Amino acid sequence: IHPLPARQLLVGMKAVFFAAESFVARHEHDADRVMIILHGRVRVVLPGQSSPLIVLGPGSSIGDNSLLGDPRWAGHFGIDADFVAEENTKICYIMAGEFQDVIARTASFMMVRALVRYLS
């Protein structure tokens, strides 16, 4: 990413803390942001289950596919799932709409969009 859009994305990011055993994201709520785990661990569990499918740690992300319009928090896994803080956890996030707005204003994206229009 070019430095200016990257800076705009960083400015739009916010941090939030989750206490151990609290829900970070629930399957019944639409994914509207991309979250990155900074500290702590988050369990991915099927709704109504307690055994984790996987445990995510620092650097892992949640809700990535919300950028593509997928309303599932676990869309990149292809499932509906809940995300539960396994321990006190710090996460940063950016709203999907803000991310899409920044990307839509970048020169490379506008060039690709113009090329697609020209070719269609």
Side-chain angles (χ1 to χ4, degrees), residues 4 19 39 48 61 68-71 76 89 92 119:
L4 181 60
H39 301 287
S61 57
L68 304 173
D70 189 338
H76 65 277
T89 300
C92 69
L119 294 174

Side-chain angles (χ1 to χ4, degrees), residues 14-20 22-24 35 38-40 85 87-93:
K14 299 182 179 46
V16 65
F17 293 89
F18 293 91
S22 65
F23 282 97
V24 172
M35 298 188 270
L38 298 177
H39 301 287
E87 58 194 34
N88 292 338
T89 300
K90 181 179 181 183
I91 289 178
C92 69
Y93 71 89

Side-chain angles (χ1 to χ4, degrees), residues 37 39-44 54-62 76-77 83-84 86-87 89:
I37 302 168
H39 301 287
R41 294 183 305 180
V42 174
R43 291 189 308 268
V44 180
I54 189 170
V55 177
L56 305 175
S60 298
S61 57
I62 300 166
H76 65 277
F77 293 118
F83 292 78
V84 180
E86 188 161 274
E87 58 194 34
T89 300

Side-chain angles (χ1 to χ4, degrees), residues 4-115:
L4 181 60
R7 191 173 310 123
Q8 292 171 330
L9 290 173
L10 287 174
V11 167
M13 295 191 100
K14 299 182 179 46
V16 65
F17 293 89
F18 293 91
E21 300 305 318
S22 65
F23 282 97
V24 172
R26 297 187 73 136
H27 75 281
E28 62 264 4
H29 300 142
D30 285 349
D32 61 354
R33 65 195 74 193
V34 175
M35 298 188 270
I36 300 168
I37 302 168
L38 298 177
H39 301 287
R41 294 183 305 180
V42 174
R43 291 189 308 268
V44 180
V45 295
L46 292 174
Q49 304 289 317
S50 59
S51 298
L53 297 172
I54 189 170
V55 177
L56 305 175
S60 298
S61 57
I62 300 166
D64 309 52
N65 283 10
S66 68
L67 299 175
L68 304 173
D70 189 338
R72 298 172 298 172
W73 287 105
H76 65 277
F77 293 118
I79 60 172
D80 285 319
D82 292 324
F83 292 78
V84 180
E86 188 161 274
E87 58 194 34
N88 292 338
T89 300
K90 181 179 181 183
I91 289 178
C92 69
Y93 71 89
I94 186 165
M95 302 304 290
E98 290 179 48
F99 188 96
Q100 292 161 339
D101 289 346
V102 169
I103 297 303
R105 290 191 307 266
T106 64
S108 58
F109 181 79
M110 289 187 275
M111 287 174 38
V112 168
R113 191 168 51 192
L115 180 60

